[in-house]
Amino acid sequence: MSKQSKTEQPSAKEALRLNWRAAKIWWELMPKVLIYKAWGAFFEASAPYLSLWFSAQLLGEVAGARRMDRMILLAVLAALSGAVFMGAAAVFRRLYNAEDMMDSTSFWFLLARKMQSMDFARLDDPKTKELYDRIVQVDNFASWGLRRTLGDIENGLPIVFRILGGVILSVTLFTQRVPEGSALAWLNSPLMGLGFGAALLAAALLAPLFFSKAEAYFARYSDMGTASNRFFSFFGYIAFKERSRALDIRTYAQDGFFGPQYLSNNTFDESSQIARWCRGPIGLDIAAGTAVTRSITGIAYVYVCLKAWAGAFGVGQIAQYVGAITSLAGGVSELLRSLAILRTNTVYLRTVFEFLDLTNDMYQGSLTTEKRSDREYDVEFRHVSFRYPGSGNWALKDVNLKFKVGERLAVVGPNGSGKTTMIKLLCRMYDPTEGEILLNGINIRKYDYDQYLAIFSVVFQDFQLLSQPLGENVAGAMEYDRKRARNALETAGLAGRLESLPQGLDTYLYRDFDTSGVEVSGGEAQKIAIARALYKDAPFIVLDEPTAALDPIAEAEVYAGFDTLIEDRTAIYISHRLSSCKFCDRIAVFENGSIVQSGTHDGLLAEAGGTYERLWEAQAQYYT
Ligand code: ADP
């Protein structure tokens, strides 16, 4: 975490560095858009100058030599060039608008890819979530952050071309001299030019000060609105979008939270602070900024007309110079205003980069796990203790455990005794705080992470299926072996259900992407998850409460088919139903993060007064 406070004013150097980095990200994400934008800006900014220049020539001709052929030529060229430039600008605008729609997709994918690549422990860290929430919040609130940079580029490019064009068309205003001997010859003095330039610059600098003062109110408000925004995001759409919450929300009328809480936060309505600011200081600042901007034209007229009157140039050029100078000064004002926005946005870019720069601290080894057809892998927990990041309590304490190849190990114990945590460590979602886990005698940290993970098929308690076709869910891929998928589903006990599905393996689960998708029950979902684990065909299969959502008949079926299900895999099997553990070769009993007993069902029952006996008795009364 950076030590910098979230809202500390960035230095110009930091602003430059972060905005440049943001621009580079967009250049990598969508280079074509930036190229189109640059060309679009060039044509759009140049077109008015072209017509200004041609009008000046025309006016000069009308007031001077009055050659008809030249006037016609100028008029035709003015019309033609205007049409070509504006047309080209429109073409590029269309091109980038078509691509621009991808900006939010690219942005969210960028964040998603970062999340996906994070260590599990990092992902789980509340600080990570806080950063992510802040990025989402300011993006929703006023599009601050990375996406603002894209807007800044779009606004900034025309400003640059506008300033360049203005300079080119107004240079001769200073070089063309009033004839010597004229009463106004003092206008030729360089001091006069400088004085005029200074007055213009002062006005051009003053205007953006007013505008950025107004802008700053919004930035301040985005911090003040954090709570309301979270609240609004949650109750405005998240809560209602999540299928799993729908029942709760209805049963407990949780939508009632929304109105009063939201109103009491008072962030977005007309009595809110921002609304009051808009009616007060923000409005005044914007009015003052606009008035100063307008005064620039007045100053330009005085200087230009005086020089023209004294004979420095013809009447035609009055329009050119006044137009060019007004546009140039406006460009400078806008540039400054944009720079102020850039600076404000730097604060939000800090959050974005802090998130993107989160490091993975988990050591990743490079040893291969060698694909063994004999599945001869043995795993050992050696004095493993573990605390969740940020937690003071030991979730596991000095766990020693060895899985023999082909063994079926049951893990039982009261809620919160550490069973799932043990699985999470086994799958290296976290590294042990103390002790080590060994695969074939070597610390698992030394293996290539992906290869290590490939050894395990896990059905977590809170597994999730995708709203994709059944077969793709089972295979975890869009291209897959249909026969194998069907076999896995049959082994998991879904043969009958598969028959009944109109499109078999191609039937969509849920209706998010296909209106003819099927809703599956909790039990069916669990079987699909088991089938997915079987399809993966890893040497270890880990089932966390595999039958929790099944009815007793389905449960009995799963146990009856357990041998076919497991085959020669090493199975680790977490269960609350002790009757199901009888199938297992060995049972490890967890309590308070430690293994307190280990043995076979009969052996453990014989240990009078043990945890296993206690758990068994508690359940047996319902079954006998
Ligand atoms: P079991 O699977 O036996 O029900 P768990 O392994 O889920 O138990 O939990 C063991 C202990 O670790 C519990 O005290 C639980 O509160 C704690 N715990 C589980 N997950 C987390 C987490 N993500 N952060 C902090 N503590 C956790």
Side-chain angles (χ1 to χ4, degrees), residues 124 388 395 414-421:
D124 232 16
Y388 279 96
N415 278 339
S417 58
K419 306 181 295 290
T420 303
T421 305

Side-chain angles (χ1 to χ4, degrees), residues 89-162:
V91 167
F92 282 109
R93 202 176 317 123
R94 281 189 75 107
L95 284 174
Y96 71 67
N97 278 344
E99 301 253 340
D100 232 8
M101 290 177 214
M102 293 301 292
D103 76 327
S104 71
T105 323
S106 307
F107 172 62
W108 294 115
F109 271 143
L110 181 77
L111 299 185
R113 275 200 301 274
K114 176 66 191 178
M115 298 267 236
Q116 186 61 27
S117 70
M118 259 180 219
D119 281 351
F120 200 77
R122 176 69 74 201
L123 193 63
D124 232 16
D125 191 336
K127 277 185 200 153
T128 306
K129 174 149 175 45
E130 190 195 309
L131 280 176
Y132 184 81
D133 282 352
R134 271 183 61 76
I135 294 172
V136 173
Q137 182 218 324
V138 297
D139 184 84
N140 281 343
F141 191 72
S143 307
W144 289 111
L146 197 59
R147 283 208 290 163
R148 171 64 64 122
T149 304
L150 198 60
D152 288 344
I153 296 173
E154 181 168 346
N155 297 332
L157 286 171
I159 296 176
V160 172
F161 288 121
R162 194 173 154 184

Side-chain angles (χ1 to χ4, degrees), residues 476-512:
M478 286 163 82
E479 302 288 327
Y480 61 96
D481 180 341
R482 296 177 74 88
K483 188 156 173 273
R484 234 174 90 200
R486 201 170 285 117
N487 281 343
L489 284 164
E490 282 166 7
T491 314
L494 279 171
R497 185 73 169 114
L498 186 57
E499 288 285 298
S500 75
L501 291 175
Q503 293 167 60
L505 289 175
D506 301 316
T507 311
Y508 269 81
L509 300 188
Y510 314 116
R511 304 217 171 92
D512 302 292

Side-chain angles (χ1 to χ4, degrees), residues 220-265:
R220 240 166 85 194
Y221 202 57
S222 109
D223 273 338
M224 289 168 65
T226 305
S228 292
N229 245 304
R230 282 209 181 135
F231 207 78
F232 177 75
S233 303
F234 185 76
F235 277 104
Y237 45 96
I238 299 174
F240 296 96
K241 236 170 56 186
E242 286 179 12
R243 191 201 316 267
S244 54
R245 289 188 186 273
L247 268 179
D248 267 9
I249 288 180
R250 277 156 209 245
T251 319
Y252 297 105
Q254 288 174 338
D255 52 337
F257 277 107
F258 182 57
Q261 283 266 24
Y262 172 65
L263 288 178
S264 72
N265 269 292

